[in-house]
Amino acid sequence: MKNILLVSHGAALGGSPISALNVARFINKDEFRVFYAFGENGKILDIAASENIPTFVAKKRGFLGIPLILDYIKIIKENNIDIVHLNTLTSYYKYPAVAAKILKKPVVWFVRENPQEKRCTRLAKFINKFSDKIITVSYDTAQNMPYADKNKLMTIHNGIDLLSYNDDILNAHERLNLSSKFKYISTIASIEKRKGILELVDAFAILKKDSKFADFKLLIVGADRTQSKIYLNAVINRVKELNLTGEVIIYGESKMIKEIMKISEIFTLCSHWEGLSRVLLEAMACKKAIVCTDGGGNKEQVIDGQNGYVVDVGNVKDLALKLKLALSDGQKLAIFGENSRKFAEEKFDIKVTTKKIEAVYNQISR
């Protein structure tokens, strides 16, 4: 039995922490036991604890982060940790990486964010020196990490539990408190610039000029997690400027992903960059046609003309055109949806992707 310490700086209800949580859910429990350390309190920590996964909170503090390093040394020692699994490439992870190095424990370091951002490139020396394996969640991410040690670099896509998306969802409109009189174009994303929400609103405004789409609503599910709420306010103001009040529904965060997918005619994601989007995997599992941007790993999930359409980041006119093209052809929507599920089964089954992670653990064990 190998003990794995999985470190996630974030514990909010988002794709990256959920991906971390799913390792413990689907790993071979006869061979591995997972412990979690979070850099903050949050919903994912609560879920992990409720599922009887041992959890710790280790917040960054003190001179040079030395108290945090000492926290991790203590956690690793007291729980006989064999492998340290770092969930993303941000500065927080330097400290558990140093602790693992001091104790001569192997490190698997995942990269889920844009590796070209300064906060990532600044960690080039750390990730190369302190990791035994560098794992990206998309080929696009790997291609954009020229600074990574190629002998350590590999890609393992995020996976999804397809069995949990097999049941039909009843009374979805009622559960969401949304009218069944309308059709919905949906997106699920944090409300921030990187997710391209303003561009989606602009594209929807173009679409609504066509009377064929009079009964369509744009459903935006997600939250602005900043204190200032600057981007959320910008979205609200844009909706007002375009006279779309009542046509755009800013729904807030929701755990009812399957219900949202059920009522959606089409799913869209307009992000400027993604590692490998969990919500796109959920849309695929739910047999949804998708229109998305080509940011990061999106184009590894949506094949243009097969399970949806892919447009250039920021191209509002093309986004509107592709939404119109897909929504104007019911047969095409159905084919796209079937292909989405097929691609999910072929490439993103979590049982397969978790076995690849297990293989890495076994390879680096000392």
Side-chain angles (χ1 to χ4, degrees), residues 74-240:
K74 182 179 179 181
I75 291 169
I76 293 168
K77 281 185 173 181
E78 290 186 352
N79 295 281
N80 298 312
I81 298 300
D82 298 295
I83 296 168
V84 176
H85 174 144
L86 306 179
N87 194 43
T88 64
L89 185 59
T90 60
S91 62
Y92 175 89
Y93 296 92
K94 293 186 295 185
Y95 308 103
V98 169
K101 188 74 170 181
I102 291 170
L103 297 174
K104 299 181 179 179
K105 302 295 182 180
V107 171
V108 178
W109 203 325
F110 272 69
V111 182
R112 302 181 184 279
E113 50 281 289
N114 187 342
Q116 290 296 311
E117 289 187 3
K118 285 185 178 179
R119 65 188 176 94
C120 294
T121 58
R122 289 192 188 111
L123 293 171
K125 291 181 179 179
F126 272 92
I127 196 170
N128 286 324
K129 182 175 181 179
F130 291 99
S131 67
D132 292 79
K133 280 290 182 182
I134 303 168
I135 300 180
T136 65
V137 294
S138 68
Y139 298 119
D140 178 89
T141 304
Q143 290 168 4
N144 283 283
M145 289 189 72
Y147 53 83
D149 184 338
K150 296 301 183 287
N151 294 318
K152 297 180 178 181
L153 188 64
M154 65 181 296
T155 294
I156 300 177
H157 284 132
N158 290 330
I160 189 163
D161 177 19
L162 293 166
L163 291 177
S164 68
Y165 292 85
N166 285 341
D167 296 333
D168 193 19
I169 304 299
L170 303 176
N171 304 316
H173 288 91
E174 291 83 354
R175 295 183 68 185
L176 293 165
N177 197 28
L178 292 171
S179 174
S180 59
K181 295 179 181 179
F182 302 106
K183 297 178 181 179
Y184 296 92
I185 299 167
S186 300
T187 192
I188 303 173
S190 56
I191 298 180
E192 59 177 297
K193 183 176 181 180
R194 180 174 68 87
K195 297 294 184 176
I197 306 296
L198 284 173
E199 292 96 300
L200 177 57
V201 171
D202 289 344
F204 182 67
I206 295 172
L207 190 75
K208 290 292 284 186
K209 291 178 181 179
D210 189 328
S211 60
K212 289 193 304 182
F213 302 100
D215 59 347
F216 276 80
K217 304 283 188 184
L218 175 60
L219 180 61
I220 300 172
V221 180
D224 183 337
R225 297 194 181 108
T226 66
Q227 289 186 342
S228 65
K229 302 291 187 289
I230 291 173
Y231 194 78
L232 173 61
N233 290 328
V235 172
I236 292 170
N237 289 335
R238 186 70 61 85
V239 169
K240 291 178 181 177

Side-chain angles (χ1 to χ4, degrees), residues 302-329:
V302 180
I303 310 303
D304 191 56
Q306 294 189 39
N307 64 323
Y309 293 116
V310 180
V311 303
D312 292 340
V313 170
N315 192 330
V316 172
K317 290 183 179 179
D318 195 31
L319 176 60
L321 176 64
K322 294 301 169 58
L323 284 169
K324 183 175 182 179
L325 191 62
L327 292 168
S328 298
D329 189 336

Side-chain angles (χ1 to χ4, degrees), residues 9-20:
H9 74 290
L13 192 64
S16 175
I18 290 172
S19 294

Side-chain angles (χ1 to χ4, degrees), residues 4 24 72 146 212 245 287 298:
I4 313 298
Y72 275 105
K212 289 193 304 182
T245 302
K287 298 184 177 180
N298 289 352

